[in-house]
Amino acid sequence: MSGMPPELPTRRDEAWRWADLRHAERFLGTPPPANDALPETDRLWLDLAGPRALFVAGQPVGATAQAPAPDRGMPRHPLADLAAANASAGTRLEVAAGEDAGLVQLLHIGRGGAAHGVTRVVLGAGARLTLVESFADEGQDHWLNHRLDAELGAGATLVRVSRALAGRGLVSDRAAVRMGAESRLAHLSLGLAAGALRTEVEVLLDGPGAHADVDGILLGDGGAALDSLTRLDHRVPGTSSRQRWRLVAGGTAQASIAGGVAVARHAQKTDAEQSLKALLLQRTAVVHLKPELEIFADDVACAHGCTVGELDRAALFYLATRGVPPAEAEALLTLAFVADALAGLPEGALRDALDAETRDWLVRRTGGAAA
Amino acid sequence: MSAGSSAAAREGRNPEAAAAVEALSSYRWGFTSAIEQELAPRGLTEETVRYISARKGEPEWMLEWRLKAFRIWQTMAEPQWAKLSIPPIDYQDAHYYAAPRVKPSLKSLDELDPEIRRTYEKLGIPLEEQKVLAGVEGARRVAVDAVFDSVSVATTFREELRKAGVIFLSISEAIREHPELVRRHLGSVVPVRDNFFACLNSAVFSDGTFVLVPKGVRCPMELSTYFRINAENTGQFERTLIIAEEGAYVSYLEGCTAPMRDENQLHAAVVELIAEADAEIKYSTVQNWYPGNSEGKGGIYNFVTKRALCRGARSKVSWTQVETGSAITWKYPSCILQGEESVGEFYSVAVTNNFQQADTGTKMIHLGARTRSRIISKGISAGRSNNSYRGLVRMGPSATGARNFTQCDSLLIGDRCGAHTIPYIEVKNPSAQVEHEATTSRISEDQKFYAMSRGLPEEDAIALIVNGFCREVLQTLPMEFAVEAQKLLGISLEGSVG
Amino acid sequence: MLEIASLHVTVDGREILRGLTLSVLPGEVHAIMGPNGAGKSTLAHVLAGREGYDVTEGTARLDGADLLAMSPDARAAAGLFLGLQYPVEIPGVSNLLFLRTALNAQRRARGEPEISGADFMARVRAEARALGLDLEMLKRGVNVGFSGGEKKRNEAFQLAMLQPRLAILDESDSGLDIDALKVVAAAINRFMSPDRAVLLITHYQRLLDHVRPTHVHVLVDGRIVESGGPELALRLEQEGYERHAA
C-alpha cells in the first residue's frame, strides 16, 4: 500500500452502526507473520465431494493462484476495495454456458495480521455452480477480509454459502452478485464465529425474471459480535427476492441484521419479502434488526416481518407433557426456528450438512441431547 | 362543530376542489405585506436571545437557560441522517421575534379569496370558524356567540378549567405565573442539547402552551376545542409542556385541518409530555402547513421534536398525527416508557404529494418491566414526493416482559414517488417481544374500478380507498377531527392521478 | 394408580380446586363431568404440571410417586399423558420428529433403548391408518394447518404411539363430528387394558356413549360433589347440573 492509509468505516456510518471492526483497525497494514506450517483442516471442510482449495493467511496452499481482477462494475465498498487492492492470491471460477461445475469448496484460514482474498465467479448462460467458502482460524487473533464478485448470465444458478467458523479475530466477507435474466441465486450466510463477523451480501437484480434467496443464520454465544447487512437492488421489472434471517444470541453476544430491499423507479412487478427473526437466550445478549425498504415503483409487492422474542411457552409445555426434557425441547424449538433460513438452498447433501452443523451448535449450546 | 361537520359530510365533493387546491398551491394571498409588525433585528446572536427574553419580560433564570441553549446550538450541526434533501438554511437571514403576530384583517369573508373560501367549505369548517381562520375583524366574538350561545367561550372554558384545577396557559404566562413548575420541567424530557432544532428552539422559542392537570383530575374538555378557537399564531418556534399528574387525563389537539398560511419558512417546535402514575395523555396533531407549489417551490420546513416521558407506573401516552402539509417534515413523536406497565402509542398518517418530503416516525424506548407500545404508521406518497417511516423500538435490559407491535404500511400513487421504511429494533431483554410488519402496495385497479362502477369519480374513489387504508389511525382522532381529516386526505391527494 | 387427596389449587390468587379427592385404579375409566368453570381443565393441567397453578394443599401420587414434585416431562416419562383441549401448533417441527423425540426421551428416562427408525415408522403407519390420519399431514409442522377435529385425532394418535399408563383426556370430544368422535373413542378403547387407566374430562355425555366409564364424578366449584356409575352420566345429561348448583 502506498500513499494515505485507507480509512475504515466507523460506527458513525449508518451501514456500520453495529459492526465490530476493532481487529480491522488493529491489523490494517499488518501482514500475517511468516509461518509455513500446514494447518489442521480436516474438521473444517464440509464432508462433500468436489474440488477444494485452501488459503492460509491469504496464500494458496499447494498451488499458485493469482488474485483475479475484481469486477470494476460493482458498487464501491470500503472493505471490498481494500481486499481488491491488497489480495495477493485468489480464485477465479468461470463456468461456460450450459455447464454444471458442481460443488467447489474454498477454505480461508486466518493466522495473525490481515489477510485479504478475492473470489471471482463468472457463470455463462444456464451455467451452474455451488460454492462453499469457509472462514476459520487456529485460535490466533487475525483479520480475514474477503470479497466475492459474481456475475450470473441468463438462466445461470449460483448457490453460495459463506460459512464463518473462526474462533477469534474478525471475518469480513462481502458478496456482490450481478444477476442476468432468469438467473437464480441462493446465498446463505452461516455465522458460527466466536469472534467478530461482518457478512454482507449485495445483489443487483439486473435481468427480468431474476430471483434471489438471501438467507442467514447467525448463532452467537460468548462474546461473539455477528453483524450482517444485505441490499437487494431490484433494478428492472419482474424480479423477486426472499430474505430469511434467523438470529440466536446467548452469553454476551451481539447479533444484528440490516436487511435492505431497494426497488428502482420503473422496476414494476417486483416481489420482495424479508423475514427477520431473533431469539435472545440471555439478558446479557443483544440483537438488532433493521429491515429497510426503499421503494420508487408503485406496482410492487414488498413486505417485511420481524419478530424478537422467547421460545413459545405453550410449545415448551406441550413438548414437556410428551416427556421431552426442557433442554432438549429448547434445542428442538430453536432448531425449528432457524431451519426456515435453510429453505432457500436446494434440497440435498449440502443442506443436510448445514442443518447438521446448525444442530450441533445448538446442542453444544444447550448441552441437551441431540434433537 | 359537529353540526358543521355533518353539514359538510352531506355536501358532495366536486371537481372545483382541485382548482381550490391549485389556488392554495400558488399561494395567492395578496394581502400579506402591508401589515406593521414589530420585528427583532435580522439575524441570530446572543443579543437576539436577550431581546426576545426582554420583550417577553422573562425572569433572569429563563434568559440564562436560553443563552445556555444558544451557546450549545452554536456548536451543533444540522442532522444529516434523514432521507431528506434540505436546501441550505441561512439561520442569520431571518427574524426570530415578531410580536404578537397580527393577522391581516378582513371586513368579512366576502373579501377572502373565493378559492380559499371554497377549500374551507370542502373541509366542512363551520362558517364562524372560517372567519377566525381568515382573520375577519371581530370574528372571535362572533364565533364564540355562534357556537356557544352568547357566553364568552374563552371565559367559560377558563372558568371550567380553573374549577377543575387545570392550569392551561401560554408558556409565557406560565413562566410568569408558575415559574417553579416551568423551571422544574422545561427541558426535562427534551434536553437542550438533544438535537440541533430542539436546541435552537430552546434559545429562541416564541410562545406555546403549558398544561398541568393535577392529581386525579380528568380534564373536563378536549383542550383542542379551546385551542382551535383561540388559534393564535404562536410563531415558528413553538414550545409546549404538558404534565399529567398521578391519575390525571388530558386530550390535547394541536393544529388545524385548514391550510394555515405563514411566511416563516422554518418551524422548529418542541413538545414535552410528562405522565405520572396512572395518568394518560392523548396528543393529536393535524398538520397542514403550506406544502409549496406543484413545482416544489416554497413551503414550510417543519422540524419538530416531540417526546413523552411515561414516568409513572401504568401511565399512557398516545400520539396521533395526520401530516399532510409542509414541504419538508422531520418529526418523530416518541415515548420513553420508564414506569412499569406504562404504555406508548403512535398512530400516524403521512401524506406527501408533488415535491413534498416527509421523514417521520417514532421511538419507543422501553425501560420499565411489562411496558407496551403500539405503532401504526400509514404513509401515502403521490406525485414526485418521498415519504419515509423511520422508527426505533428499543427494549432495555430491565424491560422484562415488554411488548411492541408495529405495523407500517405504505401506499404509492403513481410511479414517480418513493416510499421508504426504516425501522430499527434493538433488544436487550430475552423476555421482551417485538413484532413488526410492513407492506407496500398501491391502489388496486380492481378496488378503484369497483368504486367507480358504483358511481364514484376517480378522485373520490381514491379518497375512499385511502381513507380505508388509514382507518386504524383516523379512528383514534377525536370524532370531529376524524371527519375533517378524512376530507383533508382526499384534498391533499387531488391532482395525483392521471 | 392415581391418588389425589384433598387437592387445593389457586390460579392468580383465586382458588379453583377446593379439596378434591379421587382414586383411580388400573383398569378403570373415570369420567369427570361438570359445568363450565368447575375446575375440570385446572385438574388436568395441574396433574400434567403446567406453570401458573399453585397447589396450596393436598397431594397427587402416581403409583406412589409424588406427582406434584416432578417436572412435566418427568411425569410423562412416569406414564402420564395429557390430551389437550387446545393442542398447540409448533411450526417448523414436524409431527413425526416431535413424536420420535418424545418417544425416545421417555425411553431414555426409563432406561430403555431408543426405537429404531424402521420400527417407529411401522408403528406410525399402523396407528395413523387406524385414526384416519394422512402420513403427509404428519410430515407437516405439529398441528399446523390442522382442523379442530384433526388436532383431536392427532392427540389420540400420540396417545396410541406413546403408550402411557394413565391418560388424562381434556375435552377430547369437543369440536368433533360424529364420525371423528367414533374414531377418537375407538382409539381410547383400544388404548385401555387392565394395567392402564383413563381420566376423561368432559362437559357432555356424548363421548361416554362410545367409551363406557367405570366411574362418573360430578365436579362443581372445585370439589367432587357426587360419584357413581355410568348411569350418573345419563342422569346428568337429562337434568343438567342444577341439582348441584351452590
Side-chain angles (χ1 to χ4, degrees):
Chain A
M1 282 189 296
S2 61
M4 292 288 287
E7 295 244 332
L8 288 172
T10 72
R11 291 190 173 200
R12 288 179 164 278
D13 300 309
E14 178 59 28
W16 300 86
R17 58 187 286 143
W18 297 309
D20 178 355
L21 297 181
R22 279 172 299 180
H23 286 90
E25 286 154 21
R26 183 170 151 204
F27 291 121
L28 184 66
T30 310
N35 181 350
D36 290 338
L38 273 184
E40 179 58 54
T41 58
D42 286 355
R43 56 182 185 86
L44 297 174
W45 301 99
L46 286 179
D47 188 15
L48 299 169
R52 296 173 175 185
L54 173 63
F55 292 81
V56 176
Q59 299 305 318
V61 173
T64 54
Q66 262 202 318
D71 183 338
R72 299 283 171 206
M74 292 299 181
R76 298 294 304 268
H77 184 271
L79 298 193
D81 289 357
L82 264 178
N86 293 282
S88 55
T91 310
R92 185 182 168 93
L93 295 162
E94 192 161 349
V95 185
E99 283 186 21
D100 185 346
L103 183 142
V104 174
Q105 288 197 64
L106 304 178
L107 175 57
H108 308 272
I109 306 277
R111 192 179 254 183
H116 299 273
V118 176
T119 303
R120 178 100 188 252
V121 170
V122 180
L123 301 187
R128 302 175 70 91
L129 171 69
T130 300
L131 173 63
V132 177
E133 291 200 72
S134 305
F135 304 89
D137 59 24
E138 300 172 289
Q140 288 167 292
D141 267 349
H142 64 90
W143 176 26
L144 267 180
N145 181 35
H146 190 73
R147 158 180 190 151
L148 167 89
D149 294 351
E151 170 114 39
L152 275 56
T157 300
L158 173 65
V159 176
R160 188 207 185 219
V161 177
S162 169
R163 190 166 155 258
L165 309 171
R168 304 186 61 136
L170 165 67
V171 172
S172 52
D173 173 48
R174 170 179 158 90
V177 183
R178 191 185 300 111
M179 299 182 68
E182 300 293 333
S183 62
R184 295 281 174 274
L185 169 70
H187 193 282
L188 177 77
S189 300
L190 181 61
L192 305 175
L197 169 67
R198 165 74 170 197
T199 178
E200 217 176 283
V201 185
E202 178 158 359
V203 183
L204 311 176
L205 293 111
D206 277 359
H211 174 86
D213 285 283
V214 175
D215 304 328
I217 296 175
L218 304 183
L219 304 177
D221 202 1
L226 311 180
D227 179 37
S228 57
L229 181 142
T230 66
R231 184 179 165 92
L232 281 281
D233 212 344
H234 295 264
R235 307 211 287 193
V236 297
T239 60
S240 57
S241 65
R242 292 288 176 271
Q243 297 188 64
R244 305 168 203 87
W245 287 75
R246 299 294 177 262
L247 281 56
V248 178
T252 56
Q254 273 207 34
S256 53
I257 163 80
V261 169
V263 179
R265 208 167 294 299
H266 310 307
Q268 301 291 16
K269 305 286 179 198
T270 292
D271 175 359
E273 261 181 49
Q274 293 185 81
S275 159
L276 313 183
K277 295 186 182 177
L279 262 184
L280 267 180
L281 300 177
Q282 270 154 304
R283 199 171 161 151
T284 42
V286 182
V287 295
H288 301 288
L289 309 178
K290 183 191 174 200
E292 183 168 352
L293 297 172
E294 186 184 302
I295 296 168
F296 289 100
D298 61 336
D299 187 10
V300 299
C302 293
H304 62 228
C306 277
T307 59
V308 185
E310 294 181 287
L311 292 173
D312 180 358
R313 283 172 186 272
L316 284 169
F317 174 70
Y318 194 46
L319 278 157
T321 67
R322 299 300 178 256
V324 181
E328 198 175 338
E330 274 177 35
L332 185 66
L333 292 180
T334 310
L335 189 66
F337 171 81
V338 299
D340 286 0
L342 294 170
L345 295 177
E347 280 186 46
L350 173 62
R351 186 157 131 185
D352 293 346
L354 296 169
D355 187 52
E357 189 159 39
T358 311
R359 180 177 315 216
D360 286 349
W361 187 92
L362 291 169
V363 168
R364 273 202 310 278
R365 173 62 182 69
T366 55
Chain B
M1 245 144 300
S2 53
S5 298
S6 57
R10 281 195 302 275
E11 169 194 318
R13 301 247 325 267
N14 64 53
E16 283 142 355
V21 169
E22 196 48 44
L24 285 176
S25 310
S26 54
Y27 208 36
R28 274 191 273 151
W29 294 89
F31 44 60
T32 49
S33 55
I35 309 302
E36 289 292 325
Q37 289 188 340
E38 187 188 356
L39 295 174
R42 193 177 288 271
L44 182 50
T45 62
E46 277 203 19
E47 282 316 303
T48 324
V49 176
R50 286 178 194 282
Y51 177 88
I52 293 169
S53 189
R55 290 297 311 168
K56 298 169 85 64
E58 288 177 352
E60 187 64 21
W61 63 264
M62 194 66 243
L63 172 63
E64 284 309 316
W65 198 84
R66 286 178 181 273
L67 287 172
K68 189 180 126 210
F70 176 71
R71 288 171 201 137
I72 294 169
W73 178 75
Q74 286 180 305
T75 67
M76 294 177 89
E78 290 169 291
Q80 300 293 336
W81 41 260
K83 240 185 182 65
L84 299 172
S85 146
I86 305 171
I89 298 169
D90 183 353
Y91 293 92
Q92 296 305 330
D93 183 26
H95 297 282
Y96 285 83
Y97 185 72
R101 298 187 57 81
V102 184
K103 290 201 176 196
S105 193
L106 305 181
K107 288 272 182 294
S108 78
L109 276 179
D110 296 340
E111 288 181 26
L112 181 65
D113 186 325
E115 303 290 351
I116 289 156
R117 191 161 172 203
R118 220 169 297 164
T119 306
Y120 284 172
E121 282 160 13
K122 299 280 161 249
L123 284 166
I125 294 169
L127 191 66
E128 302 309 331
E129 229 178 299
Q130 290 183 29
K131 293 183 185 170
V132 178
L133 293 166
V136 173
E137 279 174 10
R140 187 158 310 145
R141 226 194 67 236
V142 177
V144 163
D145 291 350
V147 181
F148 292 99
D149 293 335
S150 80
V151 187
S152 163
V153 74
T155 315
T156 314
F157 283 179
R158 283 224 182 216
E159 183 58 21
E160 206 177 326
L161 290 171
R162 198 187 57 77
K163 264 195 276 175
V166 176
I167 303 175
F168 182 48
L169 298 168
S170 76
I171 197 110
S172 307
E173 287 173 306
I175 290 167
R176 287 194 296 273
E177 295 178 25
H178 300 280
E180 72 298 337
L181 282 175
V182 177
R183 202 171 175 178
R184 188 182 333 144
H185 295 292
L186 194 71
S188 68
V189 184
V190 179
V192 163
R193 61 175 71 242
D194 189 80
N195 68 70
F196 182 86
F197 300 114
C199 193
L200 175 60
N201 174 291
S202 300
V204 301
F205 68 83
S206 32
D207 211 332
T209 309
F210 177 85
V211 179
L212 184 137
V213 186
K215 186 171 171 177
V217 170
R218 199 179 161 86
C219 186
M221 70 193 70
E222 300 257 350
L223 290 182
S224 57
T225 319
Y226 178 92
F227 185 77
R228 266 179 98 204
I229 291 176
N230 289 273
E232 295 280 354
N233 187 341
T234 44
Q236 59 189 131
F237 299 104
E238 193 176 336
R239 187 94 197 184
T240 304
L241 175 57
I242 299 178
I243 302 155
E245 290 186 348
E246 210 178 306
Y249 169 85
V250 59
S251 168
Y252 185 90
L253 192 132
E254 159 201 80
C256 195
T257 49
M260 293 293 283
R261 65 180 202 81
D262 195 312
E263 48 287 31
N264 293 311
Q265 191 162 43
L266 174 66
H267 280 245
V270 172
V271 176
E272 297 176 278
L273 310 183
I274 299 168
E276 302 291 0
D278 298 301
E280 180 176 350
I281 302 174
K282 190 172 158 59
Y283 194 105
S284 313
T285 304
V286 175
Q287 185 266 116
N288 189 23
W289 298 104
Y290 178 53
N293 69 11
S294 53
E295 268 83 55
K297 292 266 163 44
I300 303 288
Y301 300 166
N302 192 24
F303 302 143
V304 190
T305 305
K306 293 185 169 182
R307 193 174 303 151
L309 174 61
C310 288
R311 185 151 58 193
R314 297 168 303 280
S315 54
K316 178 177 177 183
V317 168
S318 293
W319 297 102
T320 299
Q321 61 174 25
V322 176
E323 302 279 325
T324 60
S326 296
I328 304 177
T329 300
W330 180 98
K331 181 181 174 190
Y332 316 91
S334 303
C335 295
I336 299 168
L337 300 167
Q338 187 183 79
E340 288 193 357
E341 294 177 37
S342 57
V343 177
E345 295 178 335
F346 175 73
Y347 298 98
S348 171
V349 171
V351 182
T352 53
N353 198 355
N354 297 320
F355 285 85
Q356 280 177 277
Q357 307 176 63
D359 195 299
T360 183
T362 184
K363 294 181 193 174
M364 292 290 173
I365 311 293
H366 291 253
L367 302 177
R370 297 178 303 286
T371 46
R372 283 177 291 138
S373 63
R374 184 177 169 82
I375 300 170
I376 308 286
S377 165
K378 308 282 180 177
I380 299 139
S381 332
R384 293 172 181 270
S385 69
N386 271 293
N387 198 327
S388 303
Y389 167 82
R390 184 183 302 275
L392 168 68
V393 174
R394 177 181 289 154
M395 297 290 184
S398 53
T400 300
R403 301 276 179 274
N404 161 266
F405 175 78
T406 302
Q407 172 84 44
C408 285
D409 297 320
S410 305
L411 189 69
L412 293 101
I413 301 177
D415 60 1
R416 292 173 304 168
C417 53
H420 318 298
T421 312
I422 311 154
Y424 295 82
I425 300 165
E426 303 181 0
V427 182
K428 297 186 177 176
N429 186 303
S431 67
Q433 285 189 17
V434 180
E435 243 182 288
H436 174 107
E437 289 167 19
T439 63
T440 301
S441 56
R442 66 169 178 174
I443 291 176
S444 93
E445 290 300 321
D446 291 349
Q447 289 172 331
K448 202 166 80 183
F449 171 75
Y450 186 70
M452 290 172 73
S453 75
R454 296 294 177 270
L456 275 79
E458 187 175 22
E459 290 197 332
D460 289 16
I462 287 171
L464 182 82
I465 295 163
V466 167
N467 274 307
F469 176 75
C470 301
R471 194 179 54 89
E472 271 174 287
V473 173
L474 296 179
Q475 69 193 13
T476 69
L477 281 172
M479 179 64 168
E480 74 243 32
F481 264 77
V483 176
E484 289 180 20
Q486 276 184 25
K487 296 196 180 84
L488 181 60
L489 293 185
I491 291 175
S492 304
L493 289 169
E494 273 163 8
S496 62
V497 285
Chain C
M1 176 183 276
L2 177 67
E3 293 288 339
I4 304 173
S6 184
L7 192 63
H8 290 253
V9 175
T10 60
V11 179
D12 291 331
R14 212 161 60 87
E15 188 162 58
I16 307 292
L17 294 184
R18 305 155 176 242
L20 185 140
T21 298
L22 178 68
S23 173
V24 179
L25 297 174
E28 293 180 349
V29 175
H30 288 239
I32 306 264
M33 303 184 71
N36 287 329
K40 300 193 301 290
S41 286
T42 298
L43 174 63
H45 283 139
V46 81
L47 290 177
R50 186 162 207 150
E51 283 175 30
Y53 296 84
D54 296 322
V55 177
T56 53
E57 205 185 317
T59 57
R61 295 184 174 279
L62 182 67
D63 296 325
D66 180 2
L67 208 48
L68 302 177
M70 296 157 85
S71 62
D73 52 305
R75 298 180 200 204
L80 184 141
F81 176 90
L82 171 65
L84 277 78
Q85 184 178 3
Y86 302 108
V88 178
E89 296 185 11
I90 312 180
V93 177
S94 79
N95 285 283
L96 292 178
L97 174 62
F98 174 80
L99 249 184
R100 196 169 166 196
T101 306
L103 198 56
N104 283 331
Q106 292 197 22
R107 285 174 168 242
R108 272 200 313 276
R110 293 193 291 258
E112 297 166 14
E114 296 196 354
I115 189 168
S116 79
D119 289 351
F120 175 74
M121 282 313 294
R123 282 186 52 199
V124 164
R125 283 199 188 87
E127 299 295 349
R129 198 178 312 120
L131 280 155
L133 283 169
D134 183 4
L135 209 56
E136 283 308 308
M137 251 172 78
L138 295 175
K139 290 179 184 165
R140 298 210 305 255
V142 175
N143 291 320
V144 175
F146 286 23
S147 68
E150 285 168 342
K151 285 180 180 171
K152 292 294 166 67
R153 273 191 277 168
N154 194 22
E155 293 290 287
F157 171 65
Q158 291 177 23
L159 172 69
M161 288 294 296
L162 294 172
Q163 301 272 309
R165 294 196 58 231
L166 171 67
I168 303 168
L169 304 174
D170 188 9
E171 306 280 2
S172 292
D173 51 339
S174 67
L176 295 182
D177 61 29
I178 186 65
D179 293 332
L181 182 73
K182 283 181 183 165
V183 170
V184 168
I188 298 170
N189 290 329
R190 213 148 25 86
F191 163 75
M192 264 311 291
S193 72
D195 60 345
R196 291 183 175 149
V198 170
L199 195 57
L200 288 174
I201 291 178
T202 181
H203 188 77
Y204 300 107
Q205 144 76 21
R206 59 182 206 142
L207 178 64
L208 306 183
D209 291 340
H210 304 279
V211 180
R212 192 172 167 78
T214 56
H215 300 71
V216 174
H217 309 277
V218 183
L219 181 65
V220 175
D221 239 358
R223 285 188 203 95
I224 288 179
V225 293
E226 191 176 356
S227 296
E231 72 290 345
L232 176 56
L234 291 169
R235 198 194 81 209
L236 288 170
E237 181 73 3
Q238 279 155 15
E239 295 179 5
Y241 299 104
E242 273 136 37
R243 180 194 294 215
H244 305 287

